[in-house]
Amino acid sequence: AALREERAPKLFGRLCAHPALPLVTLTLLAAEVAIGFRMGGYGSRTFEFILQPLLVAALIVQWMAFASHPGWRWLNWGWLVYLGKISYSTYLYQQIIPAAVRPLLAQAPMIPPIIVTAPLIVAAASFSYFVVEMPFLRLKDRFGTRAAPGAGPGKSKPEQLPRVA
C-alpha cells in the first residue's frame, strides 16, 4: 500500500505496468546470478548484496500486484502459500540442516543432498513455525500494535498489505 499509494506511485506503476514484467524481472535476476557466479570474488558480492535484493523486492511487488492474473494464479496454490508461511523458519534452517547432514551423506555419495535436506528443512521449518512463531504471533495479536511516533490521526495502526492467499 505504501509503495502503490503513498510513497512511490510512479515506481509502482512502472513495476506493475504489465503482467509480463515479472518475467523480465526473473530474467534479470537469473542473468545477475549467472554473471555474479561467473565473476566470483568481490564482483559477485556486489551483485549478490546490491542487485539481488532489489530485483527480488521488485518481483515480490509484481507478484502481489498480479496475484489474480491468470498467468500468475499458480502463486496462490496451497503448498506454495504454505511454503510462504514457513519461509522465515526455512531461512533459519536452510544452512544448518545441510551442514548437519553433509557428513552422513559422505557415506552415500550417489544420493543428491537436496533429496535428503529439502524435506528435513521443510519439516524443521514447519515445526519451528507452529511451536515458536505461531505462539509469538498470537501474543502480538493479543497485545495489539502501538502507533508509530509522529503518526497522526487515522494512522494509529500500521496498514495491512493485501492478502495474496
Side-chain angles (χ1 to χ4, degrees):
L3 181 63
R4 179 178 55 240
E5 297 166 4
E6 295 174 13
R7 303 192 197 256
K10 288 181 184 177
L11 177 60
F12 182 84
R14 288 186 181 121
L15 282 174
C16 303
H18 192 276
L21 283 175
L23 295 175
V24 173
T25 306
L26 279 169
T27 302
L28 290 172
L29 187 58
E32 183 275 325
V33 169
I35 291 168
F37 181 75
R38 189 161 173 98
M39 288 177 68
Y42 291 113
S44 68
R45 297 290 183 225
T46 301
F47 285 103
E48 185 177 335
F49 293 119
I50 296 173
L51 294 178
Q52 278 183 18
L54 292 173
L55 290 169
V56 169
L59 189 60
I60 290 170
V61 167
Q62 291 169 330
W63 279 346
M64 287 175 63
F66 298 118
S68 61
H69 186 273
W72 298 106
R73 272 195 215 129
W74 60 272
L75 292 169
N76 294 315
W77 291 350
W79 65 275
L80 285 174
V81 172
Y82 179 74
L83 288 178
K85 284 182 182 179
I86 65 166
S87 63
Y88 179 70
S89 296
T90 301
Y91 166 74
L92 295 176
Y93 293 103
Q94 53 93 15
Q95 288 188 6
I96 296 169
I97 290 179
V101 171
R102 193 171 296 121
L104 301 173
L105 292 178
Q107 305 302 321
M110 298 302 289
I111 299 174
I114 196 163
I115 290 175
V116 175
T117 58
L120 291 174
I121 292 168
V122 170
S126 296
F127 178 81
S128 180
Y129 176 77
F130 288 108
V131 174
V132 178
E133 267 187 77
M134 288 302 295
F136 278 100
L137 289 173
R138 282 192 293 273
L139 283 174
K140 181 189 83 167
D141 291 341
R142 181 176 175 194
F143 293 108
T145 58
R146 295 187 179 166
K155 298 275 186 175
S156 59
K157 288 193 175 188
E159 290 188 42
Q160 297 292 321
L161 290 173
R163 295 191 140 241
V164 177

